Amino acid sequence: GQNIDQPTEMTATEGAIVQINCTYQTSGFNGLFWYQQHAGEAPTFLSYNVLDGLEEKGRFSSFLSRSKGYSYLLLKELQMKDSASYLCAVPNQAGTALIFGKGTTLSVSS
Amino acid sequence: SQTIHQWPATLVQPVGSPLSLECTVEGTSNPNLYWYRQAAGRGLQLLFYSVGIGQISSEVPQNLSASRPQDRQFILSSKKLLLSDSGFYLCAWSRRGTGELFFGEGSRLTVL
């Protein structure tokens, strides 16, 4: 089956850079997703990686190493509004649904 | 553009009462549909998914059930709620052949 690990909590200050790691073990690999979820709200899509390397999208970047079963989400120039949970997810073995990690709660302080 | 709606947004139910959460998608055809639950302090747990009308896959055995009476309608039900059913329920859809999920606003259920 699919297994995903990510840190439970992280803290950072405004303007800083933070890296949120995710390691996974999967039966087959069909890409890795990152979602952002503010408290009390639904998750929203941030990024998708299927090939090794770094994908940059504004202040957010996502990295994937398939050989290491490892991904990270890099957030630059942190803002207070970046305080949220960040969820790492991979497709299930059949490719019909996403399996989510427990999420990393990021707290940004001034 | 595609939209997804689920309701009700919030509900408080006594133990043993029934449950019905409804979700509809607009602006697309033949979507994959999903129900997830997020309990306090826990991750998103996949409950059910559907690749077509009347086709339901259950991921976790429990006292919940799902139905898809129409292409863009997905319903989550229970005949008798348990305390452990409390949580944040999220409906989602995806296009066939892609993994990206689009979530509804969520329904917060408290069972007392």
Side-chain angles (χ1 to χ4, degrees):
Chain A
Q2 321 299 70
N3 189 46
I4 300 170
D5 288 306
Q6 45 181 137
T8 304
E9 295 180 339
M10 298 184 71
T11 59
T13 54
E14 274 188 299
I17 300 173
V18 70
Q19 178 175 311
I20 302 175
N21 297 324
C22 170
T23 57
Y24 63 89
Q25 296 88 41
T26 58
S27 302
F29 182 75
N30 288 303
L32 185 141
F33 293 80
W34 283 96
Y35 279 78
Q36 180 190 58
Q37 185 180 23
H38 285 100
E41 299 181 7
T44 55
F45 171 80
L46 286 179
S47 67
Y48 171 63
N49 295 67
V50 66
L51 299 176
D52 290 351
L54 187 68
E55 295 274 348
E56 297 188 68
K57 192 184 294 185
R59 293 189 300 115
F60 292 8
S61 303
S62 56
F63 172 84
L64 175 68
S65 170
R66 289 173 293 173
S67 62
K68 296 182 180 179
Y70 167 68
S71 173
Y72 66 73
L73 183 68
L74 192 70
L75 291 74
K76 302 177 184 176
E77 302 169 15
L78 280 173
Q79 302 174 10
M80 297 293 285
K81 68 178 182 180
D82 297 329
S83 293
S85 285
Y86 291 86
L87 311 176
C88 178
V90 295
N92 62 1
Q93 192 168 354
T96 50
L98 285 187
I99 305 302
F100 286 83
K102 293 186 178 180
T104 299
T105 300
L106 173 66
S107 299
V108 180
S109 59
S110 56
Chain B
S1 63
Q2 299 84 22
T3 58
I4 177 170
H5 299 289
Q6 64 176 104
W7 65 93
T10 306
L11 63 166
V12 180
Q13 296 284 105
V15 170
S17 64
L19 171 74
S20 181
L21 300 179
E22 189 165 342
C23 172
T24 60
V25 179
E26 297 177 0
T28 188
S29 298
N30 303 314
N32 289 344
L33 296 173
Y34 308 85
W35 280 109
Y36 284 85
R37 177 173 63 196
Q38 193 172 36
R42 300 182 63 179
L44 274 172
Q45 179 186 32
L46 177 65
L47 300 177
F48 301 95
Y49 68 89
S50 171
V51 298
I53 296 174
Q55 301 178 57
I56 310 294
S57 296
S58 174
E59 292 294 302
V60 182
Q62 54 204 328
N63 68 319
L64 300 174
S65 61
S67 61
R68 184 170 179 173
Q70 300 180 48
D71 180 47
R72 292 170 291 174
Q73 183 184 27
F74 206 23
I75 299 171
L76 183 70
S77 304
S78 175
K79 293 182 179 178
K80 289 186 177 182
L81 284 168
L82 306 173
L83 286 174
S84 58
D85 291 324
S86 294
F88 191 46
Y89 288 80
L90 288 155
C91 181
W93 74 275
S94 70
R95 295 183 180 89
R96 297 294 171 87
T98 71
E100 183 180 351
L101 294 179
F102 302 90
F103 287 90
E105 307 94 331
S107 299
R108 187 162 302 282
L109 169 66
T110 302
V111 182
L112 301 175

